[in-house]
Amino acid sequence: MTEQRSTSVSTKASRQLWGRPELYTSYGQNLRMLNTRPKQVAVVAMVLLAATYVPFGLPDEWLHLFAMGLAAAIGAIGLNIVTGYAGQVSLGHAFFLAIGAYTASALSGEPGRRTIGFGITFLPLWLLAAGVVAGVAGVIVAPLATRLRGLYLAIVTLGLVFLGLHIFKEWKALTGGPGVGRQGPVPEMFGQRLDRNGDLLTGDQKMYLLTLVLLVIFAVFARNLVRSKVGRAFAAVRDRDIAADVIGVSVTRYKVLAFGISSFYAGCAGALLYAVLGRVEPDSFNLLLSIQFVAMVLIGGAGTISGSIMGALFITMLPRLTQELPTVLPFISSDVTAPLGAANLAIIFYGLMIILFLIFEPRGLFGIWIRIRNYFKAWPFSY
Amino acid sequence: MTTFLQAVAGGLGQGSVYALLALGFVIIYKSMRVVSFAQPAFMLAGALAVSFLAEALLGIPSPWGFFLALVLGAVGVALLGLGIERTVIRPMVGKPVFVIAIITLGIDIVVRLVANIFIGLDVRPVGDPWGLNSINLGGVQVQERHIVMLVTTVLLVAVLFSFFKYSRLGLAMRAASFNQETALAQGISVGTVFATSWAMAGALAAVAGTFQATGAGIDQNLWIIGLKALPAIILGGLDSLGGAVIGGFTVGLVESLVATYQGDFAPWLGQNFSVVSAYVVMLLVLLVRPYGLFGTKEVERV
């Protein structure tokens, strides 16, 4: 109610002061989705650039990577909702990704093959189902979160990854078994296979555009969620759950909600990620995958949506970037099996990057951007 | 009955590895309220160091050469732990514990990868004199290495507990874990306490890793054992040293018994269910007791 009233009053004031970011003349203005003019311009420009130049100007190999990064960004936003906003540390994200990936694969798989399949290849349907099944799993797990806190919860969710890994390895009718795997979800819409080359666009271009559209939808939804009553309740629970309880925020309800939404995002991300990759193997849903998502959130910046997207793209691109290293630094071998080869270096980089970011810039890539922005905002008096 | 006793003997042997690892986790937790996920890497580094040292010390008659290598390896990893605590962890004191926990995950990845480069793709023998030999104790076949592991662990636990009970530094560590600020006000160097706890955890992990590698040798997957100590510490309670030891042996026994009997009684759980049985036990215990069996319940104030 208050927002409604104050927005109309402040419209005039904000128009006059648009060159002064962060000078808010009303609460409603502060709460707007894109609350400063530069933000509005920059976000629209970036989405336009990503939708027009990138799919036609870059080679397909890069688009494939970008599609993976955008799908991962949906998962990272999900983890950020539960960890960054609601403060419940989860190392079990890989488990929910797996549930989404397998729900979608089973629904869209060909019936009558070696692995379970129902032949429902319509993309929105299996995407939604993947999210819902994973979300339900999240809600089932959530009561643990209401009983445990902090590191106890982290270790329990880590146990979830190991249990899931065991189940997926053993349930060969669903997953195809370790080392073999099964076909990923089949992305099809209105009789069009999105992952195959068509008359107008190549498969990689179509998958890239699909993930981009979905990421925008999921990101807008998440941004709306965290600036609403629910988001403020999450922050209250994160900062001090007992204090939140005292002021009338139902801690149990919001913890369950956070886990449910986060798992929904993870399920959709898992389904999309493996639709891009084309093949699902049960061994891939291990602790390292969970850690990669935690790294995306932390390197991007905990408690920020744009940070999650930056972090996800960065972590997905990292192995590809380290492959380029041998051309710059000749002492690094490009042989995959060599001890100091690109594959090992990529993983060492994850580790070092997590350590260095947390020590020197705990707010991640988002924090670096804030510092750059503040430097120019105060220019030339940058101290 | 023989099968049962053999399973128990194997479980106690394996449990001693978990108990040593769990002690390391708990010692760090008690001093800085952080679960250090770097323990698996320390374990791998320790086993690796011992295998190189045992090779270098082949001239000394068996098994003393191996034990000397074990001691030197443990000291080496303790120094590594000290170094890491000083450079990476100390600047983070006072930051949220989750951030520090994730930093230890980063350390784990880096140290483990460097260790893997030295291990290579083959299995590397750790240089122990026992291999898979077993002896007959009243009709029960017990592996020699399990007996050595159990005895060493009991000795180490006794030394540790008397250290905490009777020595000055042990008392300081207990005081710092009870209340850091008050301990500082009494003239205790909390920095020394942090450093000591990381060194101790490193040394314990090194011994555990070496024991795990006896018999089968070291390969790149040895570190996964390190994560099985997590159910052990949760079972016992994160801040209970006695709980860590009990939890470690419980996890070892559960695993060994499940591996022995699950194939006959519950084959539908799938092969290798024993590997994850510890996590199932952990979940069940936590549903009933959220702070583990012996953990201190946190008193919350707003």
Side-chain angles (χ1 to χ4, degrees):
Chain A
M1 281 307 283
T2 341
E3 291 170 31
Q4 290 291 315
R5 243 181 294 137
S6 55
T7 324
S8 54
V9 178
S10 67
T11 331
K12 204 175 156 200
S14 67
R15 201 169 289 143
Q16 284 162 352
L17 292 167
W18 74 270
R20 301 276 306 274
E22 297 201 3
L23 183 79
Y24 301 119
T25 45
S26 80
Y27 191 49
Q29 187 188 5
N30 192 356
L31 276 179
R32 235 182 271 163
M33 169 127 50
L34 299 168
N35 49 13
T36 58
R37 183 61 57 93
K39 250 189 221 173
Q40 290 166 3
V41 175
V43 167
V44 170
M46 263 155 64
V47 172
L48 279 180
L49 186 75
T52 53
Y53 170 69
V54 175
F56 305 104
L58 287 181
D60 276 7
E61 181 208 4
W62 279 96
L63 287 182
H64 184 72
L65 264 181
F66 266 112
M68 276 167 61
L70 296 177
I74 297 177
I77 292 175
L79 185 63
N80 216 338
I81 288 175
V82 79
T83 299
Y85 286 98
Q88 305 303 305
V89 177
S90 167
L91 289 175
H93 218 55
F95 175 68
F96 299 112
L97 284 164
I99 290 183
Y102 281 122
T103 310
S105 309
L107 274 180
S108 68
E110 247 178 83
R113 296 279 293 274
R114 196 172 49 85
T115 46
I116 302 173
F118 294 98
I120 306 168
T121 47
F122 187 54
L123 185 138
L125 203 66
W126 58 247
L127 189 64
L128 200 66
V132 169
V133 173
V136 169
V139 170
I140 294 172
V141 172
L144 273 175
T146 58
R147 271 177 78 74
L148 308 171
R149 57 161 56 91
L151 291 166
Y152 276 95
L153 181 63
I155 293 173
V156 168
T157 49
L158 186 137
L160 213 58
V161 173
F162 284 97
L163 283 177
L165 207 54
H166 174 72
I167 295 171
F168 297 130
K169 274 183 187 168
E170 290 299 321
W171 194 354
K172 295 198 174 68
L174 175 70
T175 65
V180 188
R182 65 173 292 161
Q183 203 197 358
V186 182
E188 196 178 82
M189 246 158 97
F190 312 115
Q192 284 272 326
R193 275 294 289 262
L194 295 180
D195 55 345
R196 302 242 171 97
N197 294 350
D199 301 335
L200 277 174
L201 301 166
T202 66
D204 285 320
Q205 283 172 332
K206 280 191 273 189
M207 286 310 277
Y208 168 81
L209 287 171
L210 171 76
T211 46
L212 181 68
V213 169
L214 286 170
L215 174 64
V216 170
I217 296 171
F218 276 99
V220 167
F221 178 78
R223 185 82 184 86
N224 272 334
L225 182 84
V226 298
R227 70 197 182 95
S228 68
K229 175 188 161 191
V230 179
R232 287 190 293 276
F234 283 169
V237 171
R238 170 191 64 196
D239 292 342
R240 200 90 177 93
D241 50 357
I242 290 185
D245 211 5
V246 168
I247 57 168
V249 174
S250 163
V251 174
T252 313
R253 196 179 139 206
Y254 283 106
K255 277 184 182 174
V256 171
L257 193 64
F259 260 96
I261 295 173
S262 153
S263 311
F264 178 87
Y265 271 68
C268 293
L272 271 179
L273 196 56
Y274 286 91
V276 176
L277 283 170
R279 193 142 195 90
V280 206
E281 242 196 88
D283 284 315
S284 54
F285 299 103
N286 52 18
L287 185 60
L288 186 64
L289 187 67
S290 277
I291 294 177
Q292 282 181 0
F293 272 88
V294 171
M296 286 173 197
V297 168
L298 290 176
I299 288 178
T304 59
I305 303 289
S306 50
S308 311
I309 300 171
M310 286 192 270
L313 286 174
F314 182 73
I315 292 283
T316 326
M317 297 288 160
L318 194 58
R320 183 71 185 76
L321 294 178
T322 43
Q323 269 179 30
E324 297 287 333
L325 271 185
T327 54
V328 191
L329 304 166
F331 63 87
I332 295 169
S333 162
S334 59
D335 182 7
V336 184
T337 50
L340 261 179
N344 278 342
L345 273 182
I347 303 180
I348 291 186
F349 263 19
Y350 283 135
L352 283 181
M353 207 74 78
I354 296 174
I355 298 173
L356 294 180
F357 260 107
L358 287 179
I359 292 180
F360 294 112
E361 185 47 272
R363 284 190 299 173
L365 292 172
F366 183 78
I368 292 179
W369 155 243
I370 293 286
R371 272 202 278 179
I372 294 172
R373 192 191 70 187
N374 286 353
Y375 178 89
F376 283 105
K377 217 157 79 178
W379 196 83
F381 305 104
S382 45
Y383 36 84
Chain B
M1 196 59 200
T2 320
T3 326
F4 177 75
L5 285 178
Q6 258 167 16
V8 168
L12 286 178
Q14 187 63 42
S16 54
V17 170
Y18 299 146
L20 289 176
L21 281 166
L23 273 173
F25 276 107
V26 169
I27 289 173
I28 289 183
Y29 182 82
K30 275 177 88 82
S31 76
M32 31 190 1
R33 303 284 152 205
V34 169
V35 172
S36 159
F37 289 101
Q39 289 290 88
F42 285 160
M43 178 180 154
L44 196 59
L48 194 64
V50 171
S51 86
F52 278 109
L53 285 165
E55 230 172 46
L57 296 172
L58 266 183
I60 301 171
S62 152
W64 303 114
F66 175 72
F67 277 116
L68 186 60
L70 180 59
V71 171
L72 290 178
V75 170
V77 179
L79 290 177
L80 177 69
L82 267 182
I84 287 177
E85 192 274 338
R86 192 68 209 158
T87 49
V88 184
I89 303 295
R90 195 71 68 83
M92 300 301 291
V93 169
K95 296 274 167 59
V97 287
F98 175 56
V99 173
I100 308 182
I102 296 297
I103 286 189
T104 62
L105 264 177
I107 298 168
D108 178 63
I109 293 173
V110 174
V111 173
R112 216 170 65 211
L113 251 289
V114 174
N116 277 351
I117 290 169
F118 284 101
I119 295 174
L121 294 174
D122 303 321
V123 174
R124 197 186 154 78
V126 78
D128 61 305
W130 306 291
L132 291 170
N133 298 341
S134 56
I135 53 169
N136 199 320
L137 285 180
V140 182
Q141 289 286 329
V142 183
Q143 285 191 17
E144 284 177 9
R145 65 188 190 104
H146 282 159
I147 300 177
V148 177
M149 281 149 76
L150 189 58
V151 171
T152 318
T153 305
V154 169
L155 281 176
L156 275 176
V157 168
V159 169
L160 262 182
F161 276 58
S162 45
F163 166 80
F164 281 118
K165 185 140 195 206
Y166 299 112
S167 78
R168 259 182 98 77
L169 186 57
L171 182 65
M173 287 175 80
R174 277 192 292 149
S177 118
F178 188 70
N179 188 326
Q180 226 170 66
E181 279 178 23
T182 318
L184 270 173
Q186 306 297 321
I188 290 170
S189 160
V190 174
T192 311
V193 169
F194 288 166
T196 319
S197 62
W198 271 78
M200 282 165 84
L204 287 170
V207 175
T210 311
F211 281 166
Q212 182 64 37
T214 55
I218 308 170
D219 64 7
Q220 297 202 348
N221 290 324
L222 186 74
W223 66 278
I224 296 191
I225 299 297
L227 292 177
K228 284 217 209 117
L230 289 171
I233 55 171
I234 295 287
L235 266 182
L238 270 178
D239 57 353
S240 161
L241 288 170
V245 177
I246 292 172
F249 283 113
T250 314
V251 168
L253 280 175
V254 165
E255 236 182 40
S256 168
L257 290 174
V258 168
T260 312
Y261 291 109
Q262 177 245 336
D264 297 331
F265 290 98
W268 50 271
L269 285 172
Q271 284 174 341
N272 296 326
F273 178 72
S274 62
V275 179
V276 292
S277 56
Y279 294 102
V280 176
V281 174
M282 169 181 85
L283 283 177
L284 294 179
V285 169
L286 278 184
L287 280 176
V288 186
R289 290 183 65 94
Y291 292 95
L293 294 174
F294 305 100
T296 323
K297 197 170 178 348
E298 266 175 62
V299 179
E300 286 283 339
R301 290 190 198 84
V302 179

